Amino acid sequence: MQKVIKSTDLNKDLSNILGQLSFDKLFLLTDENTEKFCYPVIKNNERIAKAGKMVIKAGDGNKNIDALASIWTYLSENEATRHSLLINLGGGMLTDIGGFAAAGFKRGIKCINIPTTLLGAVDAAVGGKTGINFNGLKNEIGVFAPAETVLIDSVFFKSLDHSNFLSGYAEMIKHGLVDSDKEWKATISFDTEKIDYDKLKQLVVDSVAVKERIVELDPLEKGIRKALNLGHTIGHAFESLSYELGKPVLHGYAVAWGIICELYLSHVFFGFPADKLHKTVRFIKDNYDGFYFDCDHYDRLYEYMKHDKKNESGTVNFTFLSDVGKVEINQTARKEAVFDSIDFLRECVGL
Ligand code: GLY
């Protein structure tokens, strides 16, 4: 099982982990940003200082086959073996592509994820989903391949810009919704303007625990792990279209808007309580601005939903809630109802 360490002393925990694992050569994958801002935090570690360091371009648009090939080329040219270890230091883009590179190199080498963004810590780095974007489709190619260890330290979150903080926070809202009233209330009452980092640290620990519990029950997403897809069927369509239009939105913004649509559908189909819908919508509306799609885009958005890899037998697969903590997986919705939910979102966020 994947080990997730919520660290308070990153260098000490990293040294311990490296001391416990057996490997011949150590490699470190960073991107242009994490090389500059996060690598300095660990670079004095003796083993890290000697590791083969790779730097790829930052941004989800670079989570592609060329970047993947460049990682494999580096590993190969620097004589990585099947017993080598890769450390992925970065956000969700970096741990996704690094995890996939590790899973494919010589049929699989071990890796450690050190997420440097909130999104990476609460979602991407944990649970073993790895992959790249392909043919304009998000995470189209990939495998389930959990990192040996995930080392989470909130030291990196303080330097996140507000949009990237919110992008990660959207996944925490989702975890609250699929888990319990207690978690949900805690996430939607958090003051995102004046961030109390001690409070945030505890919320992150609780949020990661929600994901760990679900992934442990269903690592390969055959059943209950689909709970974690709440907000993502429509959210991924917003995200993909934003890239197509050349106006990329951060993953968590698209997910937050997707959550509004899918909670609306949850209300229509499963009686998700109106007061909880409105409280969640209020929080998202207050925090996640910038929605710019209009009805001319609906058909294109629906096309993206039809391509979603969560679908089975050609129907768009949704996760709905009948209440906070009560998950209804493997649901479908008529196209008209989906369009209604996007209308609802546009009314809510003011377009
Ligand atoms: N991001 C959802 C999952 O890991 O299942």
Side-chain angles (χ1 to χ4, degrees), residues 122-129 139 144 171 174-175 211 214-215 218-219 221 224-230 232 236 251 310:
V122 297
D123 191 26
V126 179
K129 282 189 180 175
N139 302 326
F144 286 98
E171 298 287 355
K174 177 194 79 181
H175 288 162
K211 176 149 188 185
I214 293 175
V215 170
D218 176 24
E221 201 175 292
I224 193 58
R225 183 167 179 170
K226 292 181 188 176
L228 300 175
N229 293 336
L230 178 72
H232 283 65
H236 272 160
H251 175 72
K310 300 186 282 297

Side-chain angles (χ1 to χ4, degrees), residues 10 26 44 80 116 136 145 185 202 214 220 252-253 289 307 322 339:
L10 183 61
L26 184 63
N44 290 333
T116 57
K185 276 185 196 146
Q202 189 52 48
I214 293 175
L220 300 181
Y253 278 64
D289 58 0
H307 275 100
S322 53
F339 286 5

Side-chain angles (χ1 to χ4, degrees), residues 59 76 94 124 168 173 175 179 196 203-204 256 258 268 286 307 309-310 333 348:
S76 198
L94 198 287
I173 302 170
H175 288 162
D179 187 67
D196 174 337
L203 274 185
V204 169
V268 171
D286 286 349
H307 275 100
K309 67 184 131 347
K310 300 186 282 297
C348 290

Side-chain angles (χ1 to χ4, degrees), residues 199-213:
K199 226 173 171 180
L200 178 67
K201 207 167 174 176
Q202 189 52 48
L203 274 185
V204 169
V205 168
D206 295 343
S207 195
V208 173
V210 172
K211 176 149 188 185
E212 281 182 271
R213 275 199 295 277

Side-chain angles (χ1 to χ4, degrees), residues 68-87:
L68 180 67
S70 76
I71 299 167
W72 281 334
T73 303
Y74 183 94
L75 291 174
S76 198
E77 286 178 357
N78 288 276
E79 292 164 10
T81 74
R82 191 181 257 187
H83 305 289
S84 297
L85 175 69
L86 176 66
I87 299 181

